[in-house]
Structure formats: C-alpha cells, structure tokens
Amino acid sequence: MPETIALTSRIRLARNYEDIPFPPRMGEGMAQKVLDRTMQSLNGASGLGAAHMVRMAELSQSAREELVEQHRISPELSRKDDGALVELMQGSVYVMVNEEDHLRIQAILPGLSLGEALDLANRTDDALEKGGYAFDDRYGYLTACPTNAGTGMRASVMLHLPALTLLSQIGPIIRTVSRIGLTVRGIYGEGSQANGNMYQLSNQVTLGRNESEIVHALDEAALQVMQREREARASMLDRNALGTEDRLLRSYGILCNARRMTLREFMQRISDLRLAMDLGFVEVDPKTLDDLMLEAQPAAILRREGKPLSDEEQNAKRADLVRAALEAVG
Amino acid sequence: MPETIALTSRIRLARNYEDIPFPPRMGEGMAQKVLDRTMQSLNGASGLGAAHMVRMAELSQSAREELVEQHRISPELSRKDDGALVELMQGSVYVMVNEEDHLRIQAILPGLSLGEALDLANRTDDALEKGGYAFDDRYGYLTACPTNAGTGMRASVMLHLPALTLLSQIGPIIRTVSRIGLTVRGIYGEGSQANGNMYQLSNQVTLGRNESEIVHALDEAALQVMQREREARASMLDRNALGTEDRLLRSYGILCNARRMTLREFMQRISDLRLAMDLGFVEVDPKTLDDLMLEAQPAAILRREGKPLSDEEQNAKRADLVRAALEAVG
C-alpha cells in the first residue's frame, strides 16, 4: 500500500530586484514594474511551461482566501492589491510577486522530494535572475526581513503524524529537531487540534549554510520523523489492533454518512481515513482525499456556492461534498 | 414508507389441565403426562400446521438462552428441565409446556394485530381444550398465580418509541396508561438504556374483563401511543431536521463500519437505523433489521461460534454480523 506520511515537499526562495526598492518601501507604479519584469523573464524562459498570472486586485476576497487554503499564496499576499500570483510547470511552481519580497518562488511536489523541488525552484530562479537580483557577497540574497537573507530559502515537508499525535510524542520531536535548526508547526490553525494531525517540518536558518546542506539536513530529519511515526503506528496496532481499526473505520462510516460536519471534525476524520488507508483497512484513492481536503475548506465551499453561508449551511455543504467524493470512489 | 412503530403484537393464554396438579406441585412423571396430552391434542387438530416440539432437557444452556432472546420462551421455562416448547403455524404460535402453568399459548404477529393474534391463540386454545381445562365459573381459567386467573390472557404490543424516549415523554405515558389498567416496560434489560427504545405495552388485569374488551382497550392505547410517537418525531424534525438526519445516519455509518460493538451500543444504533428508515433517510429491508436484532444477541452469537467468547470477542463478532447483514442489503 502507498504510505502517505510525507504529504508534500516545498521549497521557497525569497528574491528581490536590486534596482527597485523592496516592497515595504515601493512607490507608485513600482509594483507594476516588478510584475512586468517578472513576466518578461518567465515568458522568455524555456522549459518552465506556460506562465499563468493573476493579480490579487482581480480576485474577490473569497477567491483569495481559497488560494490561501490551497497553500498557493500566503495570507500576506492575499491582503495586497498590487500583489500577483504566477503559476508555472503545471502547478508545481508558484511565484508570489510583491509579497514581502519582490519574488517568492515556491516549488511544491508530492511526497518527500525536496531535491526535485529545489531543482524546479532553481530552474525558475535561473530564469528570473536575468531581472537583476539584490545580492551581497557576504550576506547572499538580500530580503525585506533579515531572517530570510542568505540563501533566501525555506524548505519544508508536510507530514501526517496521527500516531505520534495520539501517543503525545510531538512535543519531544519538536524539541529534538529545534536543536538542529529545524522547526515543527501544526498547519491549518497552528497549535489547535484542527490541523488534522498535519505538521510542517522546515528550516529556521537561511544564512550560513548552502541550499543543499539545508535540504539534506531536512531530508534526514523528515526520514527520521517518518520512521518514528511508523514505529508509533506499529506500537498502536500492537497494543490494540481491533480497537484501532474500529476507531478509524467508524470515522470512515461517519464521513460517508454525516449530513453536517465542522471543519475541525472533518480534518480529524480525514486524518483517521488517511491512516486507515495507510494501514490497509480501507481503499480510497489518495488523490480523492487530497482534492477533498482542499474542496472542503471554508473559502472553497463559499466559492462553489457563490453566496455567503451560515456556519450550519457550510457544515451541511461540507458533509455533502465528503459523501459525494467518497461515494464516487468507494 | 412502511412505518414500524408497532413491531409485534402478542397474545398469551395461561391454561392448566384440571386433573393434573399445577406445575409448582407436580409429582414424578406428571410433566410427561402434560406434554403427551398436549402433543396428542395438537397433532389431532386441523389447521394448526405441523407441531414441532423440543424439550428443554435436550437443549444446551446457550440454546435455551437464545430462545429467551427470541422471546419464544420465558427465562423461567429455560430453567425447567421438564419444560418443552411447541411451535405451530409456521412460528406464529408457541406453546410453552410446564412453565408456571401447564400451558402458555403464545401467538405473535408483526405490527399492531392483536385481533389476529387473539384469533390464532384461540384456535390453538380450542384444540388444547380437549385435554380438559381447569375452569371455574366465577374465576374463569385457573392459574398457578392468581394474577393470571380469569381470562388467563396477557396481550402486549412491542413499540419502538425513539422520539418519545429522546424527548423524555415515556414517564408521562407510563402514568397515563396505568390509569386504564395497562403497563409499559422496557424490554431487553428493563429500566436500562440497553432496550433500544423498545417498550412493551400490556394489560395488567386478567380478571373481570373479557378477552375482546382487553384487546380493544390495548389496541386503542397502542394507537394513541403510536400517534404520540409520530407527533414527537414530527416535532423533532421540526426543531432540527438536518441534525436529526445527521445523527441517525451517523449511526448507520457506524453500524456499516465498526469492528467491535457492545450490545448496548448495538441496540441504540439499530434503533437509530429503524427510525432513519421510518423517516425515509435510508432504505433497508425491515426484515434484515428484525433478523439482525436476534442474531446479534449474546446467546445467538455464542451458538453461531459454538464456543465460549470473551466480551471483546463477542463485540467483534457482533460488529462482523452487522456489517455482513447491512452490506448484503445496502
């Protein structure tokens, strides 16, 4: 069975053009200049595929929120009318333009594939470099916030860790990885239980180490955390296989039959279902789950409905979406 | 949709042969005499179908318990080695022999059909009367316990009252019917919540009223309680239709997917499913549910497995049975 502990790998590069003030200090018309130069470089590059650009100003508030839910843009970009998003490489690469920095190049791939993601980001970076980057021999790439200077790179892996969460072992892991300059955060509502047992493992330091050193360290750490999760799953089954199967499949039964569901419950039950799939208790196409995870988020539901919904209505629509998705596959 | 508030109607007649001491005082060989005379009458009668007889002495403890679960025999008969059960009319009539009285004729039919059940019981009674009943012009049929004398009849209707239970209206109903000589009891674990919202409405008085008066009064009361249940369901839907559907269908999802289930949870969830069927939320053959209700009881599970089971094992087998039954239909 295909195990899905590492959901996605992501590389983000922060870059700025040297002859234009950084976004926090940009004057009239400069955002457009950044965007024009960026599109010129991308359209002139070979091997990146067609570049699709959308300006934040063209998007409704809920359309922007949906992009945030999809992790394509940051909440910060969603608030900037002069910001834009460029999609390349059939959705593997997204460039945020005029966020905190002129350019935030993001490469996202499924599974643990930081090296490949770095490669995609680098190819995009090479094309954009023609625009003339702000670069210092000593500090590396210069960024609006000094914590991003140096490589300007943030690498991260999104991990699904239900067994470690259940066995209360996330705390010790956070302490361990922080000693080697890495950090672990819950996603979708940091710190809350609404994160569906998903955690982002990423580097904290961007200065003083080169890209491949950072990626290598993160890759190693991710492999270790994944192994810990596997051990936690084995120990969970060892202690109570039937109880585990029962608990996870009840969640599946509820997903297939509920008529209303809060986001928090949805995230928890989808986590249960993902684990049930990993353990071979039930067969569902992982893509169905990944799609559903996006479609059932609040802004995605609002966009589909095309009108404001009360919480109750939203919960009902979510349950409908879930049933439709799982019936189509089950 | 076929509504199933009244699950079964039951008529029980207590009878004794006049020339043989009543069971509490029977001497050596007399139980056999009662049984012989009974079988002779039944085999000689026309229109009752083939009579199948089984002696308690021939049955294992768990086989007896299963008959109790099926409401075919009383717990008291199950403890009497010289007792026997005779089945007639394709399972519509059961005669307990040598229970508290020589004969306990029971007719059981689905739905609210006390008149028809009384008819079946009377036809069996007519055949057995040839054995010579203990009858007193003033007190009517004589019975071991005086509370059964007179008509010797107990009539009862098994009612599924989930909405009245949820809205805490069972208490007032018990008080109301007791004023007209009727009683309401939970079945399958009296007073506990493990009764799956099923209640038995029956007459308390057997003396001083004739059979059709009793049946008529019970029928009227049952119709009224059923109407109250319908109103409670409507009010439940009125207040929160989606919440009701959600709650009931989650139970359906859990029944279809759980890997272990206690008897108590099973009874509650089957009640939810039955209500969901009545309200048109899901389609399941009512017979599937009725069969499952018997097969998932403890002694029935033990008989199928043919060996002692721990509680955990029994709960796992129960969940297996439920899934198999619902998958076969769903």
Side-chain angles (χ1 to χ4, degrees):
Chain A
M1 62 203 139
E3 174 207 65
T4 52
I5 299 178
L7 301 180
T8 54
S9 298
R10 174 182 296 250
I11 297 287
R12 183 267 281 157
L13 304 176
R15 299 289 187 260
N16 289 279
Y17 295 125
E18 61 180 339
D19 58 327
I20 305 177
F22 288 4
R25 299 183 174 199
M26 284 196 302
E28 189 78 28
M30 289 183 180
Q32 185 60 44
K33 195 171 165 188
V34 168
L35 186 55
D36 289 343
R37 186 180 301 179
T38 301
M39 290 310 293
Q40 201 175 356
S41 300
L42 292 175
N43 287 327
S46 65
L48 298 181
H52 300 285
M53 190 269 287
V54 61
R55 292 166 207 269
M56 288 303 112
E58 296 163 22
L59 298 177
S60 68
Q61 188 53 34
S62 67
R64 298 183 197 192
E65 281 168 19
E66 193 177 358
L67 289 172
V68 174
E69 286 173 353
Q70 295 167 341
H71 299 283
R72 295 187 194 194
I73 67 172
S74 61
E76 181 167 355
L77 187 71
S78 78
R79 288 188 292 268
K80 301 188 102 177
D81 281 340
D82 55 5
L85 174 68
V86 188
E87 184 183 337
L88 302 161
M89 311 258 214
Q90 289 85 43
S92 299
V93 174
Y94 293 94
V95 182
M96 289 194 286
V97 183
N98 296 320
E99 201 238 31
E100 187 182 290
D101 295 297
H102 290 151
L103 302 172
R104 288 276 175 106
I105 302 163
Q106 307 178 93
I108 306 148
L109 288 175
L112 181 59
S113 34
L114 289 165
E116 293 88 330
L118 179 58
D119 185 53
L120 287 177
N122 280 340
R123 285 163 59 192
T124 311
D125 190 35
D126 291 345
L128 289 165
E129 199 170 15
K130 297 189 182 78
Y133 283 160
F135 184 84
D136 180 275
D137 283 342
R138 188 161 165 211
Y139 296 112
Y141 295 102
L142 301 179
T143 52
C145 176
T147 59
N148 291 315
T151 60
M153 183 181 85
R154 177 140 293 147
S156 63
V157 183
M158 199 192 291
L159 297 168
H160 181 229
L161 307 175
L164 288 171
T165 305
L166 191 76
L167 303 181
S168 306
Q169 291 177 20
I170 297 291
I173 285 176
I174 292 178
R175 286 190 288 281
T176 304
V177 300
S178 71
R179 280 188 224 116
I180 53 168
L182 302 178
T183 180
V184 175
R185 295 181 309 168
I187 66 150
Y188 285 115
E190 212 165 307
S192 83
Q193 290 183 343
N195 61 20
N197 301 318
M198 291 193 294
Y199 300 87
Q200 199 182 52
L201 177 68
S202 64
N203 63 314
Q204 278 182 301
V205 179
T206 54
L207 192 65
R209 299 174 81 178
N210 71 32
E211 286 84 349
S212 48
E213 280 169 355
I214 294 168
V215 161
H216 182 72
L218 187 64
D219 203 57
E220 284 286 300
L223 286 170
Q224 278 180 35
V225 174
M226 288 162 72
Q227 184 54 29
R228 294 276 294 277
E229 170 68 18
R230 269 182 219 110
E231 287 161 13
R233 291 177 182 191
S235 129
M236 207 169 71
L237 290 177
D238 215 42
R239 287 189 214 176
N240 191 352
L242 188 70
T244 301
E245 187 178 359
D246 180 65
R247 182 174 67 78
L248 300 178
L249 291 180
R250 281 171 180 244
S251 275
Y252 177 60
I254 287 171
L255 285 166
C256 293
N257 288 281
R259 258 56 184 173
R260 58 181 185 182
M261 193 170 283
T262 62
L263 179 61
R264 170 190 283 255
E265 178 181 7
F266 168 77
M267 293 301 287
Q268 182 57 50
R269 299 218 183 271
I270 283 287
S271 170
D272 287 347
L273 176 52
R274 199 183 282 281
L275 181 55
M277 288 158 56
D278 281 358
L279 298 176
F281 294 150
V282 66
E283 266 188 62
V284 177
D285 180 5
K287 183 165 176 358
T288 301
L289 225 61
D290 295 339
D291 291 349
L292 187 56
M293 187 92 90
L294 297 179
E295 285 169 23
Q297 299 297 321
I301 291 174
L302 289 181
R303 189 251 314 151
R304 278 173 78 106
E305 295 303 313
K307 61 176 185 189
L309 295 177
S310 69
D311 281 357
E312 265 300 293
E313 288 168 331
Q314 192 186 108
N315 293 340
K317 290 293 172 192
R318 180 173 296 112
D320 292 347
L321 277 172
V322 172
R323 289 202 316 284
L326 294 180
E327 274 165 27
V329 190
Chain B
M1 61 205 140
E3 172 206 67
T4 52
I5 298 179
L7 302 180
T8 55
S9 296
R10 175 183 296 251
I11 297 287
R12 184 266 282 156
L13 303 175
R15 299 291 187 261
N16 289 279
Y17 294 126
E18 63 180 338
D19 59 328
I20 305 178
F22 288 5
R25 299 184 173 199
M26 285 197 301
E28 191 74 28
M30 289 182 178
Q32 184 60 44
K33 195 170 165 187
V34 169
L35 186 55
D36 289 343
R37 186 180 300 177
T38 300
M39 290 309 293
Q40 202 174 357
S41 301
L42 292 176
N43 287 329
S46 66
L48 298 181
H52 299 285
M53 189 270 287
V54 62
R55 293 166 206 267
M56 289 302 115
E58 295 164 22
L59 298 177
S60 68
Q61 188 53 35
S62 67
R64 298 183 196 191
E65 282 168 18
E66 193 176 356
L67 289 171
V68 174
E69 285 173 354
Q70 295 166 340
H71 300 282
R72 297 188 192 194
I73 68 172
S74 61
E76 181 167 357
L77 186 72
S78 78
R79 288 187 292 269
K80 299 188 105 178
D81 282 338
D82 56 6
L85 174 67
V86 187
E87 184 183 336
L88 301 161
M89 310 258 211
Q90 290 85 42
S92 298
V93 174
Y94 293 93
V95 182
M96 289 195 285
V97 183
N98 296 319
E99 202 240 30
E100 187 182 291
D101 295 296
H102 291 150
L103 302 173
R104 289 276 176 103
I105 301 164
Q106 306 178 95
I108 307 149
L109 287 176
L112 181 60
S113 33
L114 287 165
E116 294 88 331
L118 179 59
D119 184 54
L120 286 178
N122 280 341
R123 285 162 61 193
T124 312
D125 191 35
D126 292 345
L128 289 165
E129 198 170 15
K130 299 190 180 79
Y133 282 160
F135 185 84
D136 180 274
D137 283 341
R138 187 159 167 215
Y139 295 110
Y141 294 102
L142 301 178
T143 51
C145 175
T147 60
N148 291 314
T151 60
M153 184 181 83
R154 176 139 295 148
S156 63
V157 182
M158 197 191 293
L159 298 168
H160 181 229
L161 307 175
L164 288 172
T165 305
L166 191 76
L167 302 181
S168 307
Q169 292 178 18
I170 296 293
I173 285 176
I174 292 178
R175 286 191 288 279
T176 305
V177 300
S178 72
R179 280 187 225 118
I180 53 167
L182 301 179
T183 180
V184 174
R185 294 180 309 168
I187 65 151
Y188 285 116
E190 212 166 307
S192 82
Q193 291 181 343
N195 62 21
N197 302 319
M198 291 195 294
Y199 300 87
Q200 200 180 50
L201 177 68
S202 64
N203 64 317
Q204 277 181 304
V205 179
T206 55
L207 193 65
R209 300 173 80 177
N210 71 28
E211 286 83 347
S212 49
E213 282 169 353
I214 294 170
V215 161
H216 182 72
L218 187 64
D219 204 55
E220 284 287 301
L223 286 170
Q224 279 180 35
V225 174
M226 288 163 70
Q227 185 52 30
R228 294 276 294 276
E229 169 67 18
R230 266 181 223 112
E231 287 161 11
R233 291 177 182 192
S235 128
M236 207 168 70
L237 289 178
D238 216 41
R239 286 188 215 178
N240 190 352
L242 187 70
T244 301
E245 187 179 0
D246 180 65
R247 182 175 66 80
L248 300 178
L249 291 180
R250 281 171 180 245
S251 275
Y252 177 59
I254 286 171
L255 285 166
C256 292
N257 287 281
R259 258 56 186 175
R260 58 181 187 184
M261 193 169 280
T262 62
L263 179 61
R264 168 188 284 253
E265 179 181 5
F266 168 77
M267 294 300 287
Q268 183 56 50
R269 299 220 181 271
I270 284 288
S271 169
D272 287 346
L273 177 54
R274 198 183 285 281
L275 180 56
M277 289 158 54
D278 281 358
L279 297 177
F281 295 149
V282 65
E283 266 188 64
V284 177
D285 180 6
K287 185 169 175 348
T288 301
L289 225 62
D290 294 340
D291 291 349
L292 187 55
M293 187 92 92
L294 298 179
E295 284 169 26
Q297 299 297 320
I301 291 174
L302 288 181
R303 191 250 314 147
R304 277 172 80 105
E305 295 302 311
K307 61 175 185 191
L309 295 177
S310 69
D311 282 358
E312 265 299 292
E313 288 168 331
Q314 193 186 107
N315 292 341
K317 291 291 172 195
R318 179 173 296 113
D320 292 346
L321 277 170
V322 173
R323 289 202 314 284
L326 294 181
E327 274 165 28
V329 190

